Amino acid sequence: MKDLAQWNEGDWIAAFAAVGLFAVLAIGGLISVRKREEVAGHPRGLFVLFYAEMWERFSFYGMRALLVLYLTKHWLFDDGKASLVYGAYGALVYITPVLGGVIADRWLGQRKAVLFGGVLLALGHLLMAVEGTGGQGDPAINVFWAALAFIIVGSGFLKANISVIVGQLYQLTDVRRDAAYTIFYMGVNVGAALGTILVGYLGETIGWAYGFGLAGIGMICGLIIFIVGRPALRGRGEAPAPLAAAREWMLYAVGLGAVALAWALIQYQSLIQTLLMISGVAMLLYTLFEAFKLPKVARERIFAILFLIALQPLFWGLFEQAGGSLNLYTDKYVDRAGVPTSLFQSINPIYIVLLAPLFAWLWQTLGRKGLEPSAPAKFGLALLQVGLSFLVFVWGADSVGRAALTPVIFVFLIYLLQTTGELCLSPVGLSAMNRLAPLHLASFIMGAWFYMAAVGNFVAGKIGEATGGASGEMSKDLTLAIYSRIGWVTIGVGVAVLLVSPVVRRWMHLETLTDRASPADAAAVCKGREEQLETAAIPSRS
């Protein structure tokens, strides 16, 4: 261990993160021993999900911060190819929730789907610790592709379904729902911040295997919390009907088959673009088919969902430059003062932790006064902010001259604007999907939400590939030119969304939104008999 006198900024940041991790664990311990069913005005189950998801994000985002650096420095991919692999991986991570959502909706239930996904994720993160000797000719690279495949499919079973369980803890008209998703989102980002710092620090300063190994340990911790905390979920997320053991094991076999498919796809990124186009059209047609079987109000809610989902690729295409081209730019062209590159990936989740309570309070306060912006308007604001973030970054780089290193303050500023944009879109979108979707399509719609984020991740990969130019090596001038162009385009789209948001707000029909009367009614809906629910609906609370 280094002498304290020799510690640099990165060492101190990692030490503070370790202390923060122990503090978070202590708070979780206090919550776990409480006997009350509510904590801070919310069901105790929310905090079980908070901590389970925190550890899952600890492992996932810790690995994400290292991935593009690992690709370029260990496996020796060029910058453009590494960004494309990163984008393809991100796309597959967000496609697989469609599979996990359908299996959970129809047969397995959300709780078992989350548990299965967690096991796959733990295996994937532990396989990432197998380094080999490096270079694309090393046979160990096949273990690396397998590790990514396990993480991709594990995320698919866990990601959409744990969000659905959060929504099931509340009635549809409960005014605490948006605040609950924001609290849950804080759990995501506490884990992301601590994981990025600790996993990234170990990976870059001690060895890749140490960083990825810690990510695997984090995922195992998340699994343990989810299993032990099951009583606090109060029966939410169970299978819609009794499931025979043979059928259950067959579903797990389907999941393992998906791992094999993901192993092949991640190595051939050009196939993913075709897959995205075909599956996207199929999902749209299926959603419209289901929508036109519904009454007018429910059908228009589906149209509102489709509008919101359609904005995902643009937002995440820009936002996900963080782990790809912006990560490489920071490594090459930013004055980092000796701080490991991967640690800058923690800025966004730290901002989320700091700002999420403010946004939760803001939405609740404005909601009580009747002044809260609609979900479509929030999406428009999100696009304006993410577009502006790139223009500010380009201006900052130009302010000192292209020949000089970009001041690190502009890395903090680009992440600040992206974070405020994210808080206007991601937790709000999660809440809207869960609130507006018919019960029998709940996990499918949540999967579709993540699917369009998958498209955004692939778009991010293509943008990142473009910053490598013809040679594959990143160029500062070309990267800043691309950043300027995408910034202006996104601001234009954001203005257009704000203009049409009142129409989309009417499609949501929030004034007629009702709660379901009982779990039995919900089960009936899951079987497609929504008419049984119509006479048992509870009037919406004002």
Side-chain angles (χ1 to χ4, degrees):
M1 183 176 177
K2 286 184 182 179
D3 187 273
L4 283 178
Q6 298 178 335
W7 282 25
N8 59 27
E9 288 90 341
D11 298 322
W12 283 107
I13 292 170
F16 283 121
V19 172
L21 179 60
F22 284 115
V24 171
L25 291 175
I27 294 171
L30 292 174
I31 292 174
S32 67
V33 299
R34 288 175 66 98
K35 301 300 183 183
R36 293 181 181 177
E37 283 299 309
E38 289 200 352
V39 177
H42 289 272
R44 192 160 61 93
L46 174 65
F47 295 92
V48 169
L49 299 173
F50 174 104
Y51 275 92
E53 180 71 347
M54 185 203 82
W55 278 112
E56 189 271 328
R57 295 291 90 178
F58 178 96
S59 60
F60 182 86
Y61 278 96
M63 188 277 278
R64 171 184 178 269
L66 287 176
L67 181 56
V68 76
L69 302 174
Y70 189 50
L71 286 165
T72 55
K73 297 181 180 183
H74 183 72
W75 297 116
L76 306 182
F77 287 90
D78 64 49
D79 295 339
K81 183 67 171 179
S83 290
L84 183 60
V85 171
Y86 171 81
Y89 161 76
L92 290 174
V93 162
Y94 284 95
I95 288 175
T96 49
V98 178
L99 172 67
V102 169
I103 288 176
D105 273 344
R106 301 288 184 181
W107 303 289
L108 197 57
Q110 286 78 27
R111 184 185 62 81
K112 287 185 177 179
V114 168
L115 189 60
F116 179 60
V119 171
L120 295 181
L121 281 164
L123 289 172
H125 285 298
L126 292 174
L127 285 174
M128 285 290 293
V130 179
E131 289 187 44
T133 57
Q136 295 175 52
D138 182 2
I141 197 171
N142 290 300
V143 179
F144 167 71
W145 296 127
L148 291 184
F150 274 102
I151 294 170
I152 286 164
V153 179
S155 294
F157 276 86
L158 187 145
K159 187 180 288 289
N161 291 302
I162 199 167
S163 298
V164 170
I165 298 174
V166 172
Q168 290 175 352
L169 294 173
Y170 298 86
Q171 292 184 328
L172 293 178
T173 52
D174 194 323
V175 295
R176 301 175 298 172
R177 288 176 66 89
D178 278 7
Y181 273 106
T182 301
I183 291 171
F184 178 71
Y185 212 60
M186 283 181 64
V188 169
N189 287 281
V190 167
L194 296 175
T196 297
I197 294 171
L198 295 174
V199 172
Y201 175 81
L202 289 178
E204 285 201 77
T205 62
I206 299 179
W208 303 111
Y210 289 92
F212 294 130
L214 179 61
I217 292 171
M219 188 61 244
I220 292 170
C221 290
L223 268 176
I224 292 170
I225 290 172
F226 187 74
I227 293 169
V228 173
R230 177 183 175 183
L233 301 180
R234 296 183 293 185
R236 303 301 194 273
E238 296 301 325
L243 186 64
R247 172 66 65 86
E248 184 174 342
W249 284 105
M250 184 186 73
L251 295 173
Y252 296 143
V254 170
L256 293 176
V259 171
L261 178 61
W263 180 83
L265 286 173
I266 191 62
Q267 299 179 62
Y268 301 98
Q269 298 85 37
S270 60
L271 294 176
I272 296 176
Q273 183 170 346
T274 303
L275 173 65
L276 288 171
M277 293 174 62
I278 294 173
S279 55
V281 171
M283 286 180 61
L284 175 62
L285 293 176
Y286 174 74
T287 305
L288 290 174
F289 172 75
E290 290 289 338
F292 282 105
K293 295 194 299 183
L294 297 172
K296 178 177 182 294
V297 169
R299 182 170 63 248
E300 290 190 346
R301 287 187 183 132
I302 293 289
F303 294 158
I305 286 171
L306 290 174
F307 177 85
L308 297 177
I309 285 176
L311 299 175
Q312 289 263 80
L314 180 59
F315 181 86
W316 296 114
L318 272 66
F319 184 92
E320 284 298 333
Q321 295 308 307
S325 70
L326 188 55
N327 206 7
L328 291 172
Y329 185 100
T330 303
D331 190 55
K332 294 171 180 285
Y333 304 122
V334 170
D335 184 5
R336 295 182 283 110
V339 176
T341 302
S342 59
L343 270 64
F344 287 92
Q345 293 292 294
S346 68
I347 297 173
N348 163 255
I350 289 172
Y351 279 149
I352 290 283
V353 173
L354 295 175
L355 296 176
L358 174 62
F359 273 74
W361 169 83
L362 178 65
W363 299 146
Q364 283 190 299
T365 301
L366 292 177
R368 285 194 294 267
K369 297 180 179 180
L371 300 175
E372 183 180 5
S374 66
K378 291 175 184 176
F379 275 49
L381 294 172
L383 292 173
L384 290 177
Q385 290 167 89
V386 76
L388 180 62
S389 73
F390 282 93
L391 299 184
V392 169
F393 188 78
V394 172
W395 175 82
D398 287 338
S399 68
V400 295
R402 295 286 174 96
L405 292 174
T406 301
V408 73
I409 184 63
F410 292 103
V411 177
F412 283 85
L413 287 176
I414 191 173
Y415 285 130
L416 176 62
L417 286 167
Q418 290 184 2
T419 299
T420 55
E422 183 185 5
L423 285 167
C424 288
L425 183 139
S426 194
V428 173
L430 287 171
S431 179
M433 296 306 105
N434 193 274
R435 195 178 193 186
L436 299 178
L439 269 176
H440 70 291
L441 294 174
S443 284
F444 175 80
I445 290 296
M446 195 66 75
W449 167 263
F450 288 118
Y451 171 85
M452 290 304 281
V455 178
N457 274 262
F458 193 78
V459 169
K462 299 299 286 185
I463 293 172
E465 183 184 32
T467 63
S471 68
E473 297 302 317
M474 174 175 278
S475 160
K476 185 177 185 179
D477 288 339
L478 178 59
T479 300
L480 293 176
I482 291 172
Y483 284 0
S484 178
R485 194 176 310 137
I486 60 178
W488 283 114
V489 168
T490 305
I491 285 175
V493 175
V495 171
V497 170
L498 286 174
L499 291 175
V500 301
S501 62
V503 175
V504 182
R505 165 65 176 78
R506 288 196 293 273
W507 287 347
M508 295 170 70
H509 294 283
L510 298 179
E511 68 283 353
T512 61
L513 199 64
T514 56
D515 286 314
R516 278 79 178 184
S518 70
D521 293 323
V525 174
C526 288
K527 295 176 183 177
R529 301 195 299 270
E530 193 160 13
E531 68 275 10
Q532 294 185 14
L533 183 65
E534 292 175 356
T535 59
I538 300 172
S540 175
R541 293 180 297 173
S542 59

